């Protein structure tokens, strides 16, 4: 059974409305109002909004009969809502005007898809055993909206803590149109940024021995990091350390007081992430100490590794293959190097993060502009499939024994 044509058209129209008005970060007032407007049409939905951010949580109660000695499972479905500070260059008729922000990561499709899934589940609630939490999230790209929603009670929104959680993410390139892609275990990298400030003492460049020069110390840290990566970490559980920004001083003849390194660390397992951050701190402190200088280390952004539960990936694969055939699912051989704050949900609730190919027709997935590009185009013809898959993931869950 596929979703009604009327609902499919409504979901695509909603996506285009959202696409024309992208908003950034935690405050998405127009997007939130549009979501609330659509959700108002779904009977019996319990809707609440976040504090200090434009999140929306919607709970839909299953009405299928429940056997004695069981309770309803709670299934969480996520749709993120924020755009990016990118000037769209696709030429699409519904591109934002004025330009300057863009749904360049396809979160407009996620928001519309989650609305569609709730609307469809609303029509089929007599067959729905589960209670469903719809998580409309701001600030996926920036400020960790998922963690804030968890702190405001997201996981317990339906009563008992969510039993399973799922999110889809569309890709404008890389994966075949309409194909669902996932893997058990790590699927997106962990990301940690550190700001390291080397504290010396400035002076005249001609007499460095009368000052404490932070520049060669910072340089040693840059090189030491690369040795740390290859000498202390398993090549089959790789880590990435990049110093993307390095600043010190004002003129050739002045020893500066400080030097600053901005480091991004990427990891693909919780174990490596737990070891890497202290190892980098130890390295920079040790190098500074060896030269008699001080150092401050400040974390700047922290995203855990996104880890899929193997049993929930198996379940999701079964649901997707049951709906669309075995061609519709592909197992990813290695994690994606980007990061995702659905990781915060998956740290607490077993679930699966699943990619969905939305490359426009006629374009080669290997050469099409990628997510975050001003030229990225996401084909919303995949939306009915996304809606059906999300709804299917909720419909497939049976009662939980008490
Ligand atoms: Zn995204």
């Amino acid at each position: 059974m596929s979703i009604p044509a009327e609902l499919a058209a409504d979901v695509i129209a909603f996506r285009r409305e959202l696409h024309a008005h992208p908003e950034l970060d935690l405050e998405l007032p127009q997007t939130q109002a549009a979501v609330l407007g659509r959700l108002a049409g779904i009977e019996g939905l319990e809707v609440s909004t976040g504090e200090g951010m434009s999140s929306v949580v919607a709970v839909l109660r299953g009405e299928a009969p429940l056997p004695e000695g069981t309770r309803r499972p709670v299934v969480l479905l996520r749709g993120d809502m924020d755009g990016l500070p990118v000037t769209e260059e696709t030429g699409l008729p519904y591109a934002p005007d004025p330009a300057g922000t863009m749904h360049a990561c396809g979160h407009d499709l996620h928001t519309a898809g989650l609305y569609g899934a709730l609307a469809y589940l609303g029509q089929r609630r007599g067959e729905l055993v589960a209670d469903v939490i719809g998580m409309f999230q701001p600030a996926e790209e920036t400020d960790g909206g998922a963690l804030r929603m968890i702190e405001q009670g997201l996981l317990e929104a339906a009563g008992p803590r969510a039993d399973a959680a799922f999110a889809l993410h569309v890709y404008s390139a890389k994966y075949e149109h309409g194909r669902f892609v996932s893997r058990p275990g790590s699927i997106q990298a962990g990301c940690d940024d550190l700001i390291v400030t080397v504290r010396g003492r400035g002076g005249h460049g001609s007499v460095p021995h009368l000052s404490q020069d932070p520049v060669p110390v910072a340089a040693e840290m840059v090189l030491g990091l690369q040795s740390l990566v290859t000498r202390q970490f398993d090549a089959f559980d790789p880590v990435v350390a990049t110093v993307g920004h390095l600043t010190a001083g004002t003129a050739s003849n002045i020893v500066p007081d400080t030097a600053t390194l901005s480091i991004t660390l990427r990891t693909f397992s919780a174990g490596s992430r737990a070891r890497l951050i202290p190892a980098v701190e130890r390295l920079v402190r040790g190098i500074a100490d060896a030269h008699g200088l001080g150092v401050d280390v400040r974390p700047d952004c922290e995203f855990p590794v996104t880890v899929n539960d193997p049993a929930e990936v198996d379940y999701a694969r079964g649901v997707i293959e049951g709906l669309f055939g075995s061609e519709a699912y592909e197992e990813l051989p290695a994690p994606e190097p980007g990061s995702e704050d659905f990781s915060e949900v998956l740290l607490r609730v077993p679930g699966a993060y699943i990619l969905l190919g939305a490359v426009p027709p006629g374009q080669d997935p290997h050469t099409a502009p990628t997510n975050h590009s001003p030229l990225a185009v996401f084909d919303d013809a995949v939306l009915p499939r996304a809606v059906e898959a999300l709804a299917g993931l909720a419909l497939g869950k049976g009662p939980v024994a008490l």
Side-chain angles (χ1 to χ4, degrees):
M1 191 191 310
S2 53
I3 71 166
E6 204 177 302
L7 177 60
D10 181 34
V11 170
I12 290 169
F14 185 35
R15 181 263 161 160
R16 294 183 182 195
E17 246 174 80
L18 293 167
H19 193 86
H21 302 102
E23 295 173 293
L24 305 179
D25 208 3
L26 281 167
E27 296 294 341
L28 319 169
Q30 260 189 295
T31 308
Q32 186 190 48
V35 167
L36 292 173
R38 277 300 201 285
L39 295 183
I42 305 172
E43 206 190 312
L45 207 59
E46 300 160 26
V47 179
S48 59
T49 54
E51 277 174 40
M53 62 176 165
S54 304
S55 59
V56 178
V57 175
V59 175
L60 182 88
R61 304 278 175 189
E63 291 179 0
L66 206 56
E68 201 66 31
T70 64
R71 67 165 173 87
R72 298 192 182 280
V74 177
V75 179
L76 183 148
L77 305 175
R78 195 282 302 258
D80 40 6
M81 305 189 287
D82 52 329
L84 286 161
V86 171
T87 297
E88 180 155 350
E89 294 170 16
T90 61
L92 286 172
Y94 47 88
D97 180 20
T101 55
M102 175 182 177
H103 271 298
C105 202
H107 297 185
D108 49 338
L109 282 84
H110 304 166
T111 307
L114 178 55
Y115 151 68
L118 292 171
Y120 185 50
L121 289 168
Q123 295 170 8
R124 294 184 62 181
R125 75 180 87 203
E127 304 153 58
L128 178 66
V129 176
D131 286 339
V132 179
I133 301 174
M135 171 189 181
F136 292 91
Q137 181 200 328
E140 192 285 317
E141 300 285 358
T142 49
D143 204 23
L147 187 56
R148 287 168 191 258
M149 290 185 75
I150 291 168
E151 287 165 355
Q152 292 186 16
L154 167 75
L155 303 180
E156 294 79 24
R161 168 171 281 221
D163 295 289
F166 301 98
L168 291 181
H169 202 304
V170 289
Y171 272 62
S172 60
K174 291 182 82 168
Y175 304 112
E176 295 293 332
H177 186 271
R179 179 151 315 153
F180 295 88
V181 182
S182 194
R183 71 193 302 274
S186 306
I187 183 151
Q188 300 279 133
C191 172
D192 293 270
D193 286 358
L194 297 177
I195 312 291
V196 174
T197 306
V198 185
R199 302 207 172 276
R201 195 177 67 246
H204 200 288
S206 64
V207 282
H209 64 289
L210 298 179
S211 55
Q212 285 184 308
D213 189 353
V215 174
V217 176
E220 208 170 310
M221 289 174 182
V222 174
L223 298 177
L225 268 178
Q226 298 313 315
S227 304
L228 180 153
V229 161
T230 61
R231 303 300 91 182
Q232 295 185 36
F233 287 84
D234 185 343
F236 293 101
D237 182 9
V239 302
V240 176
T242 294
V243 179
H245 189 228
L246 173 61
T247 51
T250 52
S252 62
N253 60 353
I254 303 170
V255 173
D257 280 327
T258 60
T260 304
L261 301 85
S262 302
I263 308 172
T264 194
L265 305 173
R266 304 295 164 113
T267 45
F268 298 94
S269 73
S272 279
R273 179 169 183 250
R275 286 208 303 121
L276 179 61
I277 301 164
V280 170
E281 289 199 19
R282 188 175 64 230
L283 179 95
V284 298
R285 289 192 197 289
I287 291 174
D289 197 43
H291 295 282
L293 273 69
V295 68
D296 297 333
V297 181
R298 182 169 62 82
D300 195 32
C301 126
E302 304 165 81
F303 276 27
V305 183
T306 305
V307 183
N308 281 340
D309 181 82
E312 294 299 346
V313 172
D314 262 3
Y315 164 74
R317 176 187 198 133
V319 167
I320 289 163
E321 291 186 349
L323 287 168
F324 312 113
S326 60
E327 283 294 285
Y329 183 88
E330 178 184 325
E331 183 158 309
L332 197 61
E336 281 279 324
S339 298
E340 165 59 67
D341 79 345
F342 192 61
S343 54
E344 296 284 2
V345 174
L346 294 183
L347 271 180
R348 295 161 176 87
V349 176
Y353 178 78
I354 302 160
L355 319 180
L356 172 59
V359 64
Q363 288 214 35
D364 179 350
H366 303 291
T367 55
T370 60
N371 291 33
H372 292 208
S373 159
L375 295 168
V377 174
F378 300 85
D379 182 17
D380 52 26
V382 302
L383 267 177
R385 219 170 217 244
V387 168
E388 215 181 331
L390 283 172
L393 289 166
L395 284 163
K397 286 286 183 187
V400 177
L402 283 173

